[in-house]
Amino acid sequence: ALPDLAGVIMAKTILVVDDHLNVRNILKFNLQRRGYNVITAEDGETGMQLMLKEKIDLTLLDIMLPDIDGFKILDTLKASGHLEKNPVMIISAKGEETDILTALKKGARDYIVKPFNFEVLFNKINRLIHAQAGGPEAEAVVPETTKAPIQSLGRNFKSYMVLQVVGDFEESEAIKLEENVIRLAQAGWVGILI
């Protein structure tokens, strides 16, 4: 007799597309510890082929890849209708407001800037996977103007986390990157800055 599989939750599969081996390994290790199946790709072409061929529940996609940038991948996936069924979250060191808004307009469901906190990342992943399974997903509110300071965007966009100072700030408001990294490390944030 076959075992009763009622109530067994199948592990969700996450694809990590990043050209840095240490980022792929850190994400893979931590995601597997949370019970996810993880597939990795070191370039955009391999990642895109896996997205189209494999059963992927969520893709974590870097923007800066050696062959095809993440924006072009989003364009291709959106044109094929793939993004409607398979969410993509951008995970990138590119934290400029224009990069974030471009990715969201091209179909990314969320965006997190490196360095990031794993708890924040896991909450975002769980929200997206839950929504994919038919649960509710919080809608992102993108400001009408792209001239709003990044801090304002962070307050208005529910699923966005800013971890670096960018944009048009007064010099007195700017924080040196070294000070930011030290504060983040002291607060328990993971320091992946590439």
Side-chain angles (χ1 to χ4, degrees):
L2 293 173
D4 181 11
L5 296 178
V8 174
I9 299 171
M10 299 302 288
K12 300 295 184 178
T13 300
I14 297 176
L15 171 63
V16 176
V17 183
D18 197 298
D19 57 325
H20 291 91
L21 178 62
N22 55 347
V23 173
R24 290 193 311 272
N25 287 342
I26 288 170
L27 287 170
K28 183 175 183 175
F29 174 77
N30 284 287
L31 291 168
Q32 285 176 332
R33 285 184 52 209
R34 296 286 177 123
Y36 293 105
N37 292 324
V38 181
I39 302 170
T40 63
E42 64 183 322
D43 59 62
E45 182 62 37
T46 304
M48 194 160 45
Q49 293 306 315
L50 287 167
M51 284 181 239
L52 297 172
K53 183 175 83 169
E54 300 290 328
K55 167 68 173 96
I56 306 293
D57 296 292
L58 175 65
T59 299
L60 302 178
L61 176 65
D62 192 8
I63 295 292
M64 299 179 289
L65 296 167
D67 54 349
I68 305 172
D69 74 38
F71 294 134
K72 290 180 182 162
I73 292 171
L74 286 172
D75 287 337
T76 302
L77 295 173
K78 189 173 185 177
S80 72
H82 184 80
L83 287 177
E84 293 173 20
K85 295 175 268 172
N86 301 288
V88 173
M89 178 167 52
I90 301 299
I91 185 166
S92 179
K94 292 182 71 128
E96 294 291 327
E97 187 173 339
T98 55
D99 297 319
I100 295 164
L101 293 174
T102 298
L104 295 173
K105 288 176 184 175
K106 289 180 178 286
R109 299 271 181 93
D110 207 337
Y111 199 112
I112 191 165
V113 179
K114 297 175 191 173
F116 54 86
N117 176 290
F118 273 107
E119 289 306 313
V120 172
L121 177 64
F122 292 134
N123 285 330
K124 289 172 175 279
I125 288 170
N126 288 334
R127 181 185 55 82
L128 289 172
I129 287 180
H130 181 70
Q132 194 63 20
E137 177 182 359
E139 287 294 318
V141 178
V142 180
E144 300 266 334
T145 174
T146 60
K147 293 183 180 178
I150 271 288
Q151 288 179 334
S152 173
L153 176 65
R155 279 193 299 275
N156 294 330
F157 180 42
K158 295 176 187 172
S159 60
Y160 175 64
M161 179 57 108
V162 178
L163 296 178
Q164 61 188 120
V165 177
V166 293
D168 298 328
F169 291 100
E170 296 290 325
E171 194 169 324
S172 63
E173 295 176 290
I175 300 172
K176 294 179 186 174
L177 182 58
E178 294 87 9
E179 291 172 349
N180 242 359
V181 171
I182 291 168
R183 285 186 186 137
L184 291 172
Q186 290 170 342
W189 293 83
V190 175
I192 301 176
L193 183 60
I194 297 174

